[in-house]
Amino acid sequence: MIHDITRRKLLGGTAAAVAAIGLDPVKKAVAATPAGGPDTEWRHYAADQANTRYSPLAQINADNFGDLQVAWSFKTDVLGARKEYQFEPTPLLVKGRLFLTAGSRRDCIAVDAETGELLWMFRKDEGQRALNSPRQLSGHGCSYWTDGTKERILFVTIGYQLVSLDAATGIPDPEFGTNGIVDLKKDFDQEIDPDTSDVGLHATPLIARDVVVVGAAHTAGDVPAVRKNVKGYVRGFDVRTGKRKWIFHTIPKKGEFGYDTWLNGDADEAGNGGVWAEMSADEELGLVYVPVELPTGDEMGLFRRGDALFGETLVALDIDTGERRWHYQLVHHGLWDRDIPCAPILCDIPVKGKIVKALAQPTKQCFLYVLDRTNGKPIWPIVERKVEAGDVPGEWYAKTQPFPTKPPAYDVQGVTIDDLIDFTPELRAEAVEFVKQYKIGPLFTPPVVSKPGRWGTISVPGVQGGTNWPGGCYDPETHMVYVYSKTQPSLMGIIPNTDMAVSEFPQVHGVAGVNPRPQVAMGAARPSPAGASR
């Protein structure tokens, strides 16, 4: 069974540079594994389609870790028109070559893993289309595919185009799409502007059974600019030709499964609902597992009343057809921006004497949801418990939320007086008095109207708390899942919108007495001070 959850950050990647580290030749503990061997490669974003991040390599261990030295470095500042300050890619290692996206323009590059030499670079200047993108900078990386003869590197540009490159040369595959590129703003079951539409992606495309599965991301929705935003549908494309094979409507159309979980036809006009996180796949079962975010409005559900599938829902789709096989909604009508932020970890675990094909989904709410990945049923009971309603005018509140009974929560959930500082009796008394100005309570305490004397709800985990996009990993030898978690509260207050030019929502996230601020794209260029050079 999965029997331990460890708070442990597994991924780095904030500095804009890529480095390869090797042992001092004099101090190597064991002989080096031949370059390019299968056990030394890293062919997927998280090692494999199961997102385990597991490697059996034992050359580097606790005894020699302190002897590691920098073998080479590759500086990415020269890639792109400005500095990259949010470097998040995970390089792939295939046959002695590193493949990754890098720089503020999201160039795709190949680097010799032994020497750090740049082998090739693919650069695409998308102009205004990229400048308007909701998800900018280098993204999470690229994906690798081979049929044993051909090798391809695929990634999604800032301007939301799917590119297929020859892994040997970096030249676009002429048999894929149009000159190696598929415009993801087309064939999308909705009409959108190619330059200004609010849709992009920073995650890597997932490739399974020769199908490329691509999600969608949007501008963060604390203060949504519009009600009728782009819908974040998921699509599957043929890896050889780029032809669309299927599309899954994450916001159901009339007559489709899930449509009746929306009230008053809200699904017709809602937007967002994309899959901005990484995905997992089980080729044997023929399933791809897609973690869906909220429809429009991270903390306001005024225009998505009802439980509103498939918001904050893990959905298993048929890899070949895109048909829904099963789903499990982790939060009903979410008001806390707890989009499922990372791929589920696929793991075969012993339960009651039998090996079960399971998946473990880390979350922002610090629960690990463990499901049977063949049918979506919980491995251990997940119970529906009553939760409190809020006081926001026009809001709809779910009466219950799902609570896993096992494993236990792996970080702080909710706020009580006992959570306040108690270094001295005086400080505790001051904290108790101070917190009276806020709404506090258990997990799923809703955001409330912000006003003097009660500025909003202190929510723990906050919007950036718990487990975010880095996700976790799994050791198949010990059946241990490791996740990182950030203990960080957020103030969630809702205020009347006083500026319809900022948002079409009558109520938005904010603090009483402060005008709402327009939402900005992730990684967008920051305005230069007056007179400053760029």
Side-chain angles (χ1 to χ4, degrees):
M1 62 179 288
I2 297 176
H3 60 277
D4 188 43
I5 307 298
T6 302
R7 297 179 198 170
R8 178 179 177 185
K9 187 167 183 178
L10 299 169
L11 295 178
T14 56
V18 182
I21 300 177
L23 285 171
D24 183 321
V26 178
K27 299 180 180 179
K28 285 184 178 178
V30 296
T33 304
D39 63 343
T40 66
E41 295 193 344
W42 195 270
R43 293 193 172 200
H44 301 271
Y45 171 81
D48 47 40
Q49 294 169 329
N51 270 264
T52 64
R53 288 187 171 88
Y54 173 78
S55 171
L57 299 180
Q59 180 185 1
I60 299 172
N61 53 49
D63 294 331
N64 61 28
F65 184 80
D67 298 326
L68 295 177
Q69 296 181 358
V70 175
W72 55 261
S73 63
F74 183 93
K75 196 168 179 62
T76 65
D77 286 1
V78 297
L79 303 175
R82 57 191 172 97
K83 299 292 186 183
E84 154 68 289
Y85 60 86
Q86 194 170 303
F87 190 75
E88 296 177 350
T90 296
L92 308 182
L93 175 58
V94 184
K95 299 179 182 178
R97 303 159 298 176
L98 293 173
F99 300 101
L100 66 151
T101 51
S104 61
R105 202 188 305 276
R106 197 177 297 174
D107 298 332
C108 190
I109 63 174
V111 177
D112 186 290
E114 184 177 0
T115 66
E117 177 189 1
L118 178 66
L119 301 177
W120 54 255
M121 177 190 74
F122 176 83
R123 172 186 182 275
K124 186 169 183 60
D125 187 349
E126 298 174 288
Q128 198 62 38
R129 178 172 176 145
L131 293 176
N132 291 334
S133 173
R135 303 293 166 119
Q136 302 188 20
L137 302 179
S138 56
H140 290 175
C142 53
S143 300
Y144 172 81
W145 172 85
T146 182
D147 61 3
T149 302
K150 295 180 180 179
E151 293 182 290
R152 297 291 181 262
I153 299 297
L154 294 97
F155 78 106
V156 177
T157 67
I158 292 175
Y160 205 45
Q161 300 186 78
L162 177 62
V163 181
S164 179
L165 307 172
D166 187 312
T169 64
I171 297 174
D173 180 359
E175 298 178 357
F176 185 88
T178 302
N179 299 320
I181 297 174
V182 170
D183 188 339
L184 295 172
K185 292 186 178 181
K186 297 179 179 178
D187 204 8
F188 204 12
D189 286 10
Q190 56 190 314
E191 293 297 325
I192 60 176
D193 187 279
D195 288 333
T196 63
S197 57
D198 184 55
V199 64
L201 188 66
H202 52 311
T204 64
L206 180 138
I207 306 174
R209 286 192 178 181
D210 296 342
V211 178
V212 187
V213 185
V214 180
H218 312 274
T219 303
D222 285 353
V223 184
V226 298
R227 285 182 52 186
K228 301 177 182 180
N229 200 25
V230 179
K231 298 175 187 288
Y233 299 147
V234 181
R235 283 167 289 174
F237 298 88
D238 186 293
V239 73
R240 290 182 173 85
T241 66
K243 182 179 179 180
R244 191 186 98 174
K245 296 190 65 173
W246 53 260
I247 187 168
F248 175 73
H249 299 136
T250 52
I251 298 175
K253 291 179 174 290
K254 190 172 184 178
E256 293 181 339
F257 182 91
Y259 183 83
D260 59 358
T261 66
W262 296 68
L263 303 181
N264 305 315
D266 283 355
D268 298 335
E269 297 187 350
N272 291 42
V275 177
W276 58 258
E278 300 292 331
M279 308 178 204
S280 303
D282 186 324
E283 288 193 326
E284 182 181 343
L285 295 175
L287 296 178
V288 56
Y289 303 94
V290 299
V292 186
E293 66 159 357
L294 278 170
T296 307
D298 286 349
E299 295 158 30
M300 303 81 59
L302 308 172
F303 303 115
R304 50 176 174 83
R305 291 159 290 185
D307 285 347
L309 290 175
F310 293 93
E312 294 182 326
T313 301
L314 187 61
V315 185
L317 302 177
D318 186 291
I319 292 175
D320 297 314
T321 67
E323 294 181 1
R324 181 193 63 89
R325 292 276 195 88
W326 60 258
H327 74 276
Y328 198 94
Q329 189 172 48
L330 306 189
V331 181
H332 308 315
H333 189 80
L335 301 171
W336 302 269
D337 190 15
R338 290 184 180 142
D339 302 337
I340 307 176
C342 55
I345 302 164
L346 310 189
C347 45
D348 296 342
I349 59 175
V351 179
K352 296 181 180 179
K354 295 182 179 180
I355 296 297
V356 176
K357 291 182 178 296
L359 63 77
Q361 178 66 67
T363 60
K364 289 184 178 182
Q365 53 265 35
C366 303
F367 275 134
L368 189 73
Y369 294 78
V370 185
L371 308 175
D372 184 322
R373 69 177 183 269
T374 68
N375 55 31
K377 295 181 180 179
I379 298 298
W380 300 290
I382 298 178
V383 298
E384 292 285 335
R385 295 176 182 167
K386 291 183 178 180
V387 293
E388 182 181 355
D391 62 354
V392 176
E395 186 57 86
W396 186 93
Y397 295 95
K399 294 181 179 179
T400 66
Q401 294 292 351
F403 286 77
T405 57
K406 291 175 66 176
Y410 52 81
D411 207 333
V412 177
Q413 293 180 323
V415 183
T416 69
I417 295 298
D418 292 339
D419 295 314
L420 305 180
I421 59 172
D422 60 352
F423 304 144
T424 67
E426 291 78 13
L427 284 173
R428 166 54 69 89
E430 186 175 351
V432 170
E433 188 62 28
F434 182 79
V435 85
K436 290 179 181 178
Q437 301 179 71
Y438 301 88
K439 171 80 172 178
I440 63 172
L443 185 70
F444 296 119
T445 297
V448 294
V449 173
S450 178
K451 55 187 177 181
R454 195 189 65 168
W455 300 104
T457 299
I458 300 177
S459 182
V460 178
V463 296
Q464 295 296 327
T467 303
N468 213 302
W469 63 268
C473 66
Y474 172 69
D475 184 344
E477 298 180 32
T478 62
H479 300 297
M480 297 270 283
V481 165
Y482 298 86
V483 296
Y484 97 103
S485 184
K486 182 164 59 174
T487 309
Q488 178 177 318
S490 291
L491 176 61
M492 292 187 172
I494 305 298
I495 60 174
N497 178 26
T498 57
D499 188 350
M500 297 303 289
V502 171
S503 174
E504 294 179 354
F505 275 55
Q507 310 284 339
V508 294
H509 168 86
V511 178
V514 179
N515 291 330
R517 294 181 295 178
Q519 205 78 52
V520 297
M522 182 180 296
R526 295 164 179 169
S528 301
S533 60
R534 298 186 63 183

